[in-house]
């Protein structure tokens, strides 16, 4: 019990003092990112569209997911412990918004892989229309798929006059635990790493093709003219690789801490 009390005390102090700072920094970061990616020179880029969706998801999560946690853990203000609608809304948002974020990052990674391909037909599949349709479709899928959170989330009484909003005990809790580990913990980082490495491979292959010269009769010509990336595409690739690395590291740490606390 002393160990549990210590963890709760640490969490209470972290969210009480660090929570508002984290929310403020996250808000400023999302706003600045949206200001950059919605510029006329970028908003028609498929990768930028995905990153706009990522930042919108993060912004919504700060005020509809993180804020609940800050109030409940740091200030002992938890309306979800006595209001069933608020309880189910909190769990629904905390489940669906991370799926929006990771899916849009994966779509951005796929787009960069298509764009850096040496095959012209493959590169033509990187379009704004396809990206927007993909984002809408996958967000609609997650929105409908996570309806179960509205059904199997309850307010549980662990002690007299002590109520907690949590998953329905039993098989559903086991399902959610392994589902979260797989869908949010393992699958997105794995796909991001795969497509990130694939993109790097395409870039290196394009450079090798560009450097491969041969002499033909009287002159020197390039064999297989590579696709030349624009400077903004190169910058977006670097940004996406940094986002992928950050997401993988923080996601692994977060799920490790969840398993330790459980």
């Amino acid at each position: 019990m002393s160990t549990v009390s210590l963890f709760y005390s640490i969490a209470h102090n972290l969210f009480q003092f660090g929570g508002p700072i984290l929310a403020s920094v996250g808000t400023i970061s999302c706003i600045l990112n949206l200001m950059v990616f919605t510029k006329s020179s970028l908003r028609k880029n498929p990768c930028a569209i995905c990153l706009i969706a990522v930042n919108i998801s993060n912004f919504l999560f700060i005020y509809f997911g993180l804020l609940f946690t800050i109030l409940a853990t740091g200030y002992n203000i938890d309306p979800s412990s006595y209001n069933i609608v608020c309880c189910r809304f909190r769990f629904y948002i905390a489940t669906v918004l991370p799926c929006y974020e990771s899916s849009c990052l994966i779509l951005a990674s796929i787009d960069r892989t298509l764009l850096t391909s040496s095959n012209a037909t493959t590169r033509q599949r990187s379009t704004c229309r396809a990206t927007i349709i993909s984002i809408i479709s996958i967000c609609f899928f997650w929105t409908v798929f996570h309806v179960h959170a509205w059904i199997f989330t309850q307010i549980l009484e662990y002690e007299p006059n002590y109520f907690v909003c949590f998953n329905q005990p039993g098989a559903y809790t086991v399902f959610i635990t392994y589902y979260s580990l797989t869908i949010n913990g393992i699958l997105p980082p794995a796909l991001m790493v795969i497509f990130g490495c694939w993109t790097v491979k395409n870039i290196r292959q394009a450079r090798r093709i560009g450097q491969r010269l041969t002499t033909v009769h009287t002159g020197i010509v390039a064999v297989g003219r590579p696709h030349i990336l624009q400077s903004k595409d190169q910058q977006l690739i670097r940004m996406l690789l940094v986002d992928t690395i950050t997401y993988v590291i923080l996601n692994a740490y977060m799920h490790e801490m969840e398993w330790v606390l459980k």
Side-chain angles (χ1 to χ4, degrees), residues 196-217:
C197 294
W198 200 341
T199 300
V200 173
K201 177 185 175 183
N202 288 345
I203 294 173
R204 290 180 176 177
Q205 184 178 4
R207 288 177 179 174
R208 285 196 301 267
I209 293 175
Q211 295 173 355
R212 192 181 304 151
L213 302 176
T214 183
T215 303
V216 178
H217 298 298

Side-chain angles (χ1 to χ4, degrees), residues 146-200:
H146 289 101
V147 169
H148 56 79
W150 286 97
I151 302 172
F152 297 104
T153 304
Q154 300 178 352
I155 298 177
L156 306 176
E157 185 177 6
Y158 281 100
E159 295 178 3
N161 297 322
Y162 180 69
F163 298 92
V164 176
C165 174
F166 200 67
N167 299 317
Q168 179 178 303
Y172 181 71
T173 300
V174 176
F175 163 75
I176 283 296
T177 301
Y178 287 100
Y179 165 82
S180 177
L181 178 64
T182 304
I183 300 299
N184 294 327
I186 297 176
L187 195 58
L191 290 175
M192 291 179 198
V193 169
I194 290 172
F195 287 110
C197 294
W198 200 341
T199 300
V200 173

Side-chain angles (χ1 to χ4, degrees), residues 16-245:
Q16 184 176 18
F17 300 105
I21 297 174
L22 182 63
S24 300
V25 172
T27 300
I28 295 172
S29 175
C30 289
I31 292 174
L32 292 177
N33 286 338
L34 289 173
M35 290 174 62
V36 172
F37 294 132
T38 53
K39 286 185 176 181
S40 57
S41 59
L42 285 177
R43 61 171 173 251
K44 294 183 180 180
N45 187 290
C47 183
I49 293 174
C50 292
L51 294 178
I52 289 172
V54 168
N55 282 278
I56 292 175
S57 298
N58 288 337
F59 186 84
L60 293 175
F61 183 79
I62 290 173
Y63 290 98
F64 292 102
L66 179 62
L67 184 60
F68 276 108
T69 305
I70 293 173
L71 293 175
T73 308
Y75 299 92
N76 297 320
I77 302 173
D78 188 8
S80 65
S81 63
Y82 55 82
N83 187 310
I84 188 62
V85 175
C86 184
C87 170
R88 290 174 176 173
F89 175 78
R90 175 186 176 183
F91 265 75
Y92 178 77
I93 289 297
T95 305
V96 74
L97 286 180
C99 290
Y100 288 171
E101 178 198 12
S102 59
S103 298
C104 291
L105 281 174
I106 292 171
L107 288 176
S109 301
I110 294 173
D111 175 77
R112 295 300 89 180
T113 302
L114 296 176
L115 185 68
T116 55
S117 173
S118 58
N119 189 305
T121 303
T122 302
R123 291 196 301 270
Q124 291 175 358
R125 296 176 181 174
S126 173
T127 62
C128 293
R129 183 175 181 273
T131 300
I132 293 173
I133 292 175
S134 299
I135 291 174
I136 294 174
S137 299
I138 200 164
C139 288
F140 177 77
F141 169 78
W142 289 127
T143 301
V144 175
F145 182 80
H146 289 101
V147 169
H148 56 79
W150 286 97
I151 302 172
F152 297 104
T153 304
Q154 300 178 352
I155 298 177
L156 306 176
E157 185 177 6
Y158 281 100
E159 295 178 3
N161 297 322
Y162 180 69
F163 298 92
V164 176
C165 174
F166 200 67
N167 299 317
Q168 179 178 303
Y172 181 71
T173 300
V174 176
F175 163 75
I176 283 296
T177 301
Y178 287 100
Y179 165 82
S180 177
L181 178 64
T182 304
I183 300 299
N184 294 327
I186 297 176
L187 195 58
L191 290 175
M192 291 179 198
V193 169
I194 290 172
F195 287 110
C197 294
W198 200 341
T199 300
V200 173
K201 177 185 175 183
N202 288 345
I203 294 173
R204 290 180 176 177
Q205 184 178 4
R207 288 177 179 174
R208 285 196 301 267
I209 293 175
Q211 295 173 355
R212 192 181 304 151
L213 302 176
T214 183
T215 303
V216 178
H217 298 298
T218 59
I220 299 179
V221 296
V223 177
R225 182 174 297 175
H227 172 59
I228 305 300
L229 292 174
Q230 298 180 5
S231 60
K232 64 180 179 181
D233 288 319
Q234 296 177 6
Q235 293 173 358
L236 287 171
I237 289 173
R238 296 190 193 100
M239 292 173 60
L240 185 60
L241 289 176
V242 172
D243 281 346
T244 300
I245 294 171

